[in-house]
Amino acid sequence: MSAEKTIPATLIPGDGIGPEIMDAVTEILDAVGAPFAWDKQLAGMAAVDATGNPLPPQTIDSIRRTGLALKSPLTTPVGGGFKSINVTLRQEFGLYANLRPTRTFVPGGRFDKIDLVLVRENLEGYYAAMESYIPVGDDPHGIATGAGYNSRAECNRIVRFAFEYAVKHGRKKVTLVHKANILKLLTGLFLEEGRKVAKEYEGRVECNERIVDACAMQLVIDPWQYDVIVTTNLFGDILSDLTAGLVGGLGMAPGANIGEKAAVFEAVHGSAPDIAGKDLANPLALLLAANMMLEHVGRDDLSTRIESGIRSVITKPELLTRDLGGKSGTREFTAALKQHLV
Ligand code: NAD
């Protein structure tokens, strides 16, 4: 189907399985007539090989221009003093909200009918990584210290983002997840601002609170009680992998990093070097991320079509990739999914 490509967007094919799953995803997007005019750019090892820089200025300029990017996983260069590309992108574009929807696609499992969203603060907390060593006796690294910070403004902004998301997507409840019983200042400030914001939404969106460790246990025992969870950076990082595990692991987990001026959509998994180039990768996490991008630009009509295709193909185990118990390769699976698009 040919469709007008009216929305400029940066496309980063990435490393390892990145190019294979990106090919699959753009094929499906083309099949439904997605409106993205891609500006292909390098990052990760592909960019190191081509330019010596894992995040070249052209890639940053492109995202600045388009305000929108679909990014395949990147291999983090080991050594060489490179800063994490994902952290650099978050800081460069102020991508303060990390959005991780978790939904069951393969029906009938232990965690059937899961539908929750985790909102993680992306810029502050312990990810500030203010670390240092204190010598003890002869050992210069006898004690390791790490500090974090949360600002009132950012706590307010991330909780507000979660409530606005709930309103926009017809969700009923936001849970503030914290550890204010122990980290009374660091996460106490988050809870204080969270309660303040929650008051503004009274009568529209319900709000409750959970201590992070209790939340982790309840996510395993009774995840259905959760609707939207909002939390600080490190807790969100850990809990979002836990929630991905509820619905079949990282192969099904999309994520979005959203800021005032740009949004970057990605699969949560890495570049899977062990299966790269073997036509084994499951493209669904990146496809679900592309679906979030379609919704971000108001094309829910197209994301709904893709989602129905996924829901229909997923009921036929023999058509799925191996990580989902099937026998298909990436290309065969993509072709099957295309056939199931209505
Ligand atoms: P990984 O997610 O790449 O792989 C973990 C396991 O899951 C592997 O066995 C892999 O084969 C499997 N797997 C992952 N995605 C899959 C898919 N789509 N289909 C089928 N199987 C899949 O994690 P890792 O091995 O720890 O990391 C590899 C590289 O990726 C590292 O350089 C890491 O830094 C990087 N990484 C990048 C991102 C990102 O760019 N967002 C995220 C995580 C890790």
Side-chain angles (χ1 to χ4, degrees):
M1 187 192 296
S2 76
E4 281 215 65
K5 310 270 190 193
T6 49
I7 303 181
T10 306
L11 178 146
I12 300 172
D15 300 315
I17 59 170
E20 297 165 65
I21 57 174
M22 189 60 94
D23 282 350
V25 167
T26 48
E27 198 177 323
I28 299 295
L29 289 175
D30 281 345
V32 298
F36 302 119
W38 298 115
D39 179 22
K40 196 166 167 177
Q41 296 290 341
L42 296 177
M45 282 316 290
V48 171
D49 292 344
T51 71
N53 179 350
L55 190 58
Q58 302 92 290
T59 305
I60 294 188
D61 288 347
S62 170
I63 300 175
R64 192 167 289 124
R65 242 184 353 261
T66 62
L68 206 55
L70 183 62
K71 174 171 101 42
S72 259
L74 309 174
T75 299
T76 311
V78 179
F82 293 120
K83 197 173 160 191
S84 155
I85 302 158
N86 292 322
V87 172
T88 309
L89 278 176
R90 279 174 208 163
Q91 288 170 348
E92 180 73 34
F93 294 104
L95 305 174
Y96 67 95
N98 186 294
L99 193 58
R100 300 266 185 100
T102 301
R103 285 177 302 155
T104 309
F105 277 89
V106 185
R110 192 153 150 230
F111 293 108
D112 208 4
K113 299 196 174 106
I114 301 276
D115 183 7
L116 60 89
V117 178
L118 195 137
V119 177
R120 161 187 168 193
E121 198 287 316
N122 227 1
L123 300 174
E124 300 189 341
Y126 279 122
Y127 273 63
M130 299 145 93
E131 299 186 292
S132 59
Y133 286 119
I134 299 172
V136 177
D138 293 339
D139 183 357
H141 296 170
I143 295 175
T145 73
Y149 72 93
N150 285 322
S151 66
R152 187 183 293 286
E154 192 55 51
C155 292
N156 189 295
R157 180 160 73 153
I158 195 67
V159 177
R160 195 171 293 286
F161 178 94
F163 274 92
E164 279 303 310
Y165 181 92
V167 169
K168 192 164 165 225
H169 294 84
R171 292 193 172 258
K172 304 273 175 288
K173 185 169 71 181
V174 172
T175 304
L176 306 171
V177 173
H178 64 91
K179 186 77 187 172
N181 53 330
I182 303 293
L183 299 167
K184 291 184 198 302
L185 306 189
L186 189 70
T187 88
L189 189 65
F190 168 80
L191 186 58
E192 187 185 320
E193 279 310 298
R195 286 175 176 165
K196 232 188 257 174
V197 173
K199 276 216 163 60
E200 295 176 33
Y201 291 83
E202 246 168 26
R204 288 189 290 160
V205 182
E206 197 189 318
C207 179
N208 65 358
E209 299 166 8
R210 285 280 182 282
I211 292 174
V212 62
D213 37 338
C215 176
M217 181 190 69
Q218 286 169 352
L219 274 168
V220 176
I221 291 179
D222 176 19
W224 299 275
Q225 67 181 279
Y226 290 104
D227 193 352
V228 177
I229 293 173
V230 60
T231 189
T232 46
N233 205 340
L234 179 61
F235 298 159
D237 189 19
I238 298 167
L239 290 182
S240 59
D241 270 27
L242 193 164
T243 57
L246 297 176
V247 295
L250 296 179
M252 301 297 293
N257 296 283
I258 296 178
E260 307 283 356
K261 295 200 179 121
V264 177
F265 298 82
E266 63 186 350
V268 168
H269 61 73
S271 57
D274 51 332
I275 57 166
K278 296 184 180 160
D279 193 38
L280 289 175
N282 171 7
L284 282 178
L286 188 63
L287 184 59
L288 292 169
N291 257 9
M292 292 173 80
M293 185 160 153
L294 283 168
E295 285 157 21
H296 185 76
V297 300
R299 293 305 304 267
D300 302 48
D301 55 329
L302 301 182
S303 70
T304 306
R305 278 184 65 197
I306 294 176
E307 183 168 329
S308 321
I310 297 173
R311 290 203 180 273
S312 146
V313 79
I314 218 137
T315 58
K316 304 186 175 99
E318 70 283 2
L319 298 178
L320 306 180
T321 47
R322 288 183 199 193
D323 58 305
L324 295 178
K327 293 201 172 87
S328 290
T330 312
R331 282 194 290 268
E332 205 181 339
F333 170 69
T334 308
L337 174 54
K338 239 164 110 176
Q339 301 261 308
H340 284 74
L341 294 171
V342 281

